[in-house]
Amino acid sequence: MKHNRRKEVIRQGTTVEQLVRSIADMIVTGEMHPGERLDEISLAARFEVSRTPVREALRELGAMGLVGREPNRSAVVSNVSGAYLHGMFEAMAELESICARLAAERMTVDERRELELGHRNSARLVHQGAYEDYAVYNVEFHTRLYRGAHNDHIYELVTQTRARLAPFRRAQFRLPGRLSKSFSEHEMIVASILRADGAAAARAAYSHVAIVSDASSAFISGEQSDH
């Protein structure tokens, strides 16, 4: 019976990436509090995996600044300061602004068409209030911007920064009305890129990330005040 259970878990595709997302979301939403111990054995039992992917997930969460570990001690939930979070979003806004400008100048006809089509299709998710699905789409939308810049070095920098901010960017979509506002902000970026207006695309992208920063901070502050 135990053997079959393990095969079922593996078949479902539990990965380090999924563990990172699940644990990060629990930290950002306040389900796990700053200073709380993150025991590998308990987490492995909770997610029905071995300790190896849990250990790797905790290492990645440490690189994201969400988890701390002292020598010969268990990992603990870090206290992410507002200043640290603001600094990361500030860098993200600059990088996305560059990507949007370059995308407006360099995207192929097919890339522009896919960007517009994806954006139009996302309206359905907004109307449904499907924030989890919209969060998945949002990653795809921004990846198209990064790829559209056609600069591998910038792509590497922006995706690394996005990975560290991912839990905070997902959290924003739980705020009332945030999906429709995000859609409107995307609309400005898409429209600018379709008319090849690099300056307008850069402004729209920078403004979008700045608003995301405020929305994410507002969500996190509200969650923490409830605990």
Side-chain angles (χ1 to χ4, degrees), residues 25-223:
D25 285 347
M26 287 190 289
I27 293 172
V28 171
T29 59
E31 186 175 340
M32 291 181 170
H33 304 154
E36 182 175 337
R37 291 178 64 252
L38 297 170
D39 179 69
E40 291 180 6
I41 296 176
S42 298
L43 288 171
R46 178 171 186 165
F47 292 103
E48 297 182 302
V49 296
S50 70
R51 291 177 64 181
T52 300
V54 170
R55 189 176 300 116
E56 177 62 20
L58 292 178
R59 186 191 67 77
E60 292 192 17
L61 288 164
M64 294 167 67
L66 292 177
V67 169
R69 185 193 293 271
E70 296 181 5
N72 302 319
R73 293 191 177 183
S74 297
V76 297
V77 176
S78 297
N79 184 12
V80 181
S81 70
Y84 179 78
L85 187 59
H86 174 75
M88 284 198 293
F89 269 112
E90 187 175 52
M92 194 76 218
E94 295 288 354
L95 288 168
E96 292 227 11
S97 176
I98 293 171
C99 286
R101 176 176 61 80
L102 293 177
E105 298 169 356
R106 300 177 178 178
M107 266 187 166
T108 65
V109 172
D110 287 342
E111 286 174 330
R112 293 172 202 268
R113 185 182 299 115
E114 289 175 3
L115 180 72
E116 183 181 23
L117 180 61
H119 173 62
R120 297 300 168 211
N121 290 339
S122 72
R124 174 178 54 83
L125 303 178
V126 175
H127 293 320
Q128 294 173 345
Y131 73 84
E132 288 285 359
D133 290 335
Y134 188 88
V136 173
Y137 158 74
N138 188 60
V139 172
E140 296 174 356
F141 174 84
H142 287 275
T143 298
R144 285 194 176 104
L145 289 185
Y146 309 158
R147 288 295 188 191
H150 293 278
N151 184 305
D152 291 340
H153 183 62
I154 291 176
Y155 179 81
E156 182 179 351
L157 290 174
V158 73
T159 51
Q160 287 175 350
T161 306
R162 179 178 66 176
R164 301 189 71 173
L165 283 170
F168 302 98
R169 296 185 76 154
R170 284 195 302 271
Q172 61 163 320
F173 296 123
R174 303 189 186 195
L175 284 172
R178 181 57 198 148
L179 290 187
S180 60
K181 291 177 182 177
S182 175
F183 180 86
S184 297
E185 292 155 21
H186 284 180
E187 176 75 27
M188 295 182 67
I189 297 172
V190 172
S192 300
I193 289 176
L194 291 180
R195 64 174 186 267
D197 189 338
R203 288 194 300 271
Y206 188 95
S207 176
H208 174 53
V209 177
I211 293 171
V212 170
S213 174
D214 292 340
S216 301
S217 298
F219 174 81
I220 294 163
S221 297
E223 286 292 312

